[in-house]
Amino acid sequence: MRGYYHWSLYDNFEWAEGFAPRFALYTVDYGSHERTATEGAEVLGEIARGRALTGALRAAYGGEGAMTPEPEAAEGFEGCSGTW
């Protein structure tokens, strides 16, 4: 994985839609303010812990992009550990 950006850590107020859209990594109960990790947060945590997107995670959660490293992505990382 070369990079990842997630729009929002917690559910929040969207000016055009109010509190209805739920797309964050943690769902917020607006009554108690309790935060609960979503499936997306759990999967992202697995990827981060393993420092790789494994074939098992890909099979379980989908995706069609290339699983092979791009040569330019590994340049300059010769001394780093991890999966490229």
Side-chain angles (χ1 to χ4, degrees):
M1 178 175 291
R2 291 174 43 199
Y4 179 81
Y5 175 83
H6 194 87
W7 180 256
S8 182
L9 179 63
Y10 294 113
D11 288 332
N12 59 2
F13 181 81
E14 293 292 322
W15 287 105
E17 303 293 330
F19 289 106
R22 300 283 183 146
F23 49 79
L25 291 175
Y26 285 80
T27 298
V28 176
D29 178 325
Y30 295 117
S32 67
H33 300 285
E34 179 180 349
R35 278 107 168 128
T36 306
T38 63
E39 183 178 47
E42 299 294 334
V43 172
L44 184 57
E46 287 183 51
I47 293 168
R49 276 188 294 281
R51 297 187 57 161
L53 175 59
T54 64
L57 282 172
R58 185 182 173 101
Y61 299 103
E64 297 177 4
M67 286 290 285
T68 56
E70 297 179 28
E72 67 274 6
E75 287 180 23
F77 293 98
E78 293 82 14
C80 296
S81 62
T83 304
W84 301 105

